[in-house]
Each structure stands twice: as structure tokens, then as C-alpha cells.
Amino acid sequence: MVFDTQTLTRVVERCFDLSMSGALPAETRAQYNAHGKRLRELLMQLLGARFDANSAEFKQATDAMHQTNHALSEAVDDLNKVTQAVARVTELAGFLDKALGVAKRVIS
């Protein structure tokens, strides 16, 4: 049996995407970059490997990979939600500026 290298490729890509996200602290970006590089090396080795699909190690690695892929997907979604919220706050401030511009009187 061959390993699911397509899912592992997505995990590697997400690690590299997160390593370049300015929304994360520099230390976290560095960790994602290091993990992405290590996983990419493992991916290259796994491309030619064959496994016993019933082995505990194969099942454990496959399960962990799918869980990690899901967790990274959620992390990317959460970062996108944060970015969208910041955009909404910016938009709100603009609307409030406009509303104050047409107010008849501002009490300070």
C-alpha cells in the first residue's frame, strides 16, 4: 500500500502558507517553516515507499496526517476570519466617519 501523499502535500503547503502569514508571530512562522521543510523531506522519501496497510504504524501515521490536515485547514480558516473581521472594523470606522460628517451637531 502507498501512503496518501496528496494529503501530505496539502499539509506541507499549508505549513509553508502559514509560515508566510504576517498574522502570526515570527517564532510561530519559523516553526511552520521548519515543519514544512521536514515534512517535505519525508514526503519525498514516502513517494517510493510501500507499506502494509494493516500495520499499526501505517494506520497511526495516516490518522495523524488527516487530523493535522484538518487542524491546519481550521487554522487557515480562523486566520481568514480574523482578517475579515479587521476589514469589517475598518469599514465600520469609515461609515462612522461619514455619519459624523453629516451630523447636525457633535457633542464633545
Side-chain angles (χ1 to χ4, degrees), residues 11-87:
V11 169
V12 171
E13 289 171 347
R14 286 187 172 127
C15 283
F16 287 137
D17 287 345
L18 288 166
S19 77
M20 294 183 283
S21 172
L24 296 173
E27 181 179 335
T28 303
R29 291 192 313 264
Q31 290 173 344
Y32 274 119
N33 189 45
H35 290 306
K37 288 178 181 179
R38 175 70 176 127
L39 291 173
R40 183 178 58 197
E41 289 174 17
L42 292 168
L43 171 63
M44 297 306 292
Q45 294 173 17
L46 287 166
L47 286 172
R50 300 289 181 259
F51 297 92
D52 173 3
N54 295 320
S55 72
E57 294 82 3
F58 181 81
K59 289 178 182 179
Q60 185 178 28
T62 299
D63 289 345
M65 179 185 58
H66 287 289
Q67 292 170 2
T68 301
N69 186 46
H70 181 73
L72 288 171
S73 179
E74 286 182 343
V76 169
D77 289 345
D78 288 346
L79 282 175
N80 289 337
K81 288 177 186 176
V82 168
T83 301
Q84 290 170 358
V86 170

